Amino acid sequence: MRYSVFIISVILLITTSCSKKEVDKIQPKKGTITESVYASGVVKAENQYTVFSTVNGVLQKINVTVGQSITQGQSLFQIESEKAALTTENARLAYQLSQESNRYIQDKISEMETKVQMAKDRLALDQSVYNRNKNIKEYKVISEVEYERVELAYKNSKSNYESALKQLSQLRSQLKNEQSRNNINLKISEKSQSDFTIKSAFSGELFDVLVKEGTLVTSQTPLAIIGKKNAYVLELDVDENDMVRVAVGQKLVVTLDSYKGKVFDATVGKIYPIMDERSRTFKIEAHFDVSPTKLYPNLTAEANIIITTKKNVVTIPKSFLIDDEYVLVNEDEKRKVKIGLSDYQNVEIIEGLSATETIYKPK
């Protein structure tokens, strides 16, 4: 029994040694190599956004439930607005009182319009008398005193007419300003009151409600998450060192933690042209060529953005490359090679090594 165990141990040792030696030396292979850029991020619904309030107050009522379809402008939350309602009512009463005041101004305008017409008629008459006397003055038919009296009457009539016109214009401006001011004040109050009703900016699906009734909310409190129903995008982060090689329209392969062992194709659709200073990354959006059967917002995703693909090239594992420019031939002889594309496992050999030669793994 002890003899059999010894034989088995020797066989295992020989097998292990042979396997190790086979792994330590290889011949380059011809095949396809793809250079890619790594990106990671999450799945998001199209137009996904977080709902916030523009006012502070106690959340009085939640008008929706999670998973519900939402239409644009639909009421989502109601914040307590008793004070705002009183302010609006006060503005409405002020507006109604201003209407009464405006009617008084309108009556004054009507009176002034009559005065303007009378002043205009008087001016026309005095101007006619003045022009006639001016024409006959040189024939000495009228005395100098009488002429001056007629001239003065004409000038007074003209001044009275211009003054009446000015007063009429001022009354009309006053009426217009009063109407505008009170109307604006009422609209501002109504708008302020409407801010206490939180409405949806887009149509979509309600993914989550983040607050409870009775909660004190501020403009910094997230209330809900809404996005387009059954339409998803990939929101990915790319390192600043790789960003210059990424372009809209490039293909990428995506893996999801929820779909282990499966790979999905996607296309870069949008690049945000500003770097996040904290993470030193750029954000991009990509769309699935064929979307997975089921998706949910915020699923974790990893992707490789395909930069270049070459076929029928000589490749070796990266572990057999020394200092990115040498390989071992005859176990201890270093040879300089020129490399091309590389992926996470292999590197392309452009010059210095043929597919029929044997290379050794560095120790």
Side-chain angles (χ1 to χ4, degrees):
M1 183 70 176
R2 190 179 300 164
Y3 191 73
S4 299
V5 171
F6 175 75
I7 293 174
I8 292 171
S9 299
V10 171
I11 292 172
L12 286 172
L13 181 61
I14 294 172
T15 304
T16 303
S17 299
C18 291
S19 299
K20 186 176 180 182
K21 286 190 175 183
E22 287 176 2
V23 171
D24 285 349
K25 65 176 182 178
I26 61 165
Q27 286 185 326
K29 295 180 180 180
K30 278 200 169 187
T32 299
I33 190 166
T34 299
E35 186 177 28
S36 61
V37 165
Y38 175 78
S40 63
V42 295
V43 174
K44 285 199 170 182
E46 287 189 18
N47 298 329
Q48 181 175 324
Y49 78 102
T50 303
V51 180
F52 289 90
S53 171
T54 58
V55 295
N56 302 335
V58 176
L59 182 61
Q60 197 171 49
K61 187 177 181 182
I62 299 174
N63 300 323
V64 287
T65 56
V66 173
Q68 177 181 342
S69 293
I70 302 296
T71 58
Q72 185 176 4
Q74 181 176 342
S75 173
L76 305 175
F77 304 96
Q78 184 64 48
I79 296 176
E80 187 177 9
S81 58
E82 183 178 351
K83 184 178 178 181
L86 291 173
T87 302
T88 301
E89 185 60 28
N90 187 46
R92 185 173 289 108
L93 290 172
Y95 179 76
Q96 291 171 354
L97 288 173
S98 72
Q99 295 298 96
E100 296 293 330
S101 175
N102 290 344
R103 277 193 282 272
Y104 171 75
I105 297 175
Q106 187 65 58
D107 291 341
K108 296 286 287 183
I109 289 174
S110 298
E111 291 178 12
M112 187 53 63
E113 286 174 342
T114 302
K115 288 182 179 180
V116 167
Q117 186 60 47
M118 291 173 63
K120 185 178 181 182
D121 294 341
R122 182 66 185 180
L123 174 62
L125 177 62
D126 288 345
Q127 186 176 20
S128 176
V129 174
Y130 170 72
N131 289 335
R132 286 199 308 270
N133 283 276
K134 186 179 180 181
N135 293 332
I136 64 175
K137 180 186 175 186
E138 57 182 300
Y139 300 107
K140 300 186 182 294
V141 176
I142 184 173
S143 67
E144 190 67 30
V145 174
E146 183 63 21
Y147 175 76
E148 289 178 357
R149 186 187 67 78
V150 170
E151 184 182 29
L152 182 60
Y154 163 64
K155 288 181 178 179
N156 285 337
S157 295
K158 185 178 180 182
S159 177
N160 290 337
Y161 174 65
E162 290 174 349
S163 177
L165 280 177
K166 187 176 181 180
Q167 291 179 52
L168 177 61
S169 177
Q170 289 174 342
L171 284 171
R172 285 173 174 169
S173 295
Q174 181 183 353
L175 177 63
K176 183 178 179 181
N177 291 338
E178 286 290 330
Q179 288 176 330
S180 297
R181 181 171 60 251
N182 289 288
N183 190 39
I184 289 171
N185 288 339
L186 178 58
K187 285 183 177 180
I188 290 173
S189 296
E190 289 175 341
K191 176 63 173 63
S192 297
Q193 186 178 0
S194 70
D195 287 342
F196 286 82
T197 301
I198 313 302
K199 298 179 180 179
S200 176
F202 303 100
S203 297
E205 182 177 358
L206 182 65
F207 294 118
D208 200 3
V209 173
L210 307 174
V211 288
K212 294 181 179 179
E213 291 181 357
T215 304
L216 177 63
V217 300
T218 69
S219 57
Q220 303 298 317
T221 306
L223 304 179
I225 298 175
I226 295 176
K228 192 173 181 181
K229 189 173 183 178
N230 297 325
Y232 296 91
V233 297
L234 289 159
E235 192 172 284
L236 304 169
D237 294 322
V238 179
D239 189 89
E240 63 173 317
N241 296 319
D242 299 321
M243 194 60 217
V244 293
R245 297 189 290 169
V246 179
V248 172
Q250 287 177 332
K251 296 293 182 180
L252 58 157
V253 290
V254 183
T255 58
L256 302 171
D257 288 347
S258 299
Y259 288 87
K260 293 191 180 297
K262 292 187 178 181
V263 177
F264 302 95
D265 295 325
T267 305
V268 177
K270 185 177 182 180
I271 295 174
Y272 290 83
I274 187 169
M275 184 181 70
D276 186 320
E277 293 183 353
R278 291 175 298 177
S279 63
R280 313 300 298 179
T281 60
F282 285 81
K283 184 168 71 174
I284 69 169
E285 283 186 5
H287 298 269
F288 287 104
D289 293 348
V290 178
S291 184
T293 308
K294 284 186 178 181
L295 285 176
Y296 300 94
N298 300 333
L299 290 179
T300 303
E302 292 184 293
N304 287 310
I305 305 168
I306 298 172
I307 306 300
T308 308
T309 299
K310 280 187 178 181
K311 296 181 179 181
N312 197 31
V313 296
V314 176
T315 65
I316 63 170
K318 279 186 173 180
S319 58
F320 281 74
L321 192 65
I322 304 172
D323 298 331
D324 289 335
E325 58 179 350
Y326 296 100
V327 293
L328 284 179
V329 294
N330 298 329
E331 294 193 33
D332 57 359
E333 179 186 346
K334 289 172 68 175
R335 181 189 296 175
K336 190 171 184 178
V337 293
K338 183 178 180 181
I339 65 173
L341 298 183
S342 64
D343 57 24
Y344 289 102
Q345 292 182 330
N346 300 314
V347 61
E348 174 193 8
I349 302 297
I350 298 176
E351 294 179 2
L353 189 66
S354 68
T356 57
E357 293 183 273
T358 300
I359 60 173
Y360 296 81
K361 189 174 184 179
K363 295 180 181 179

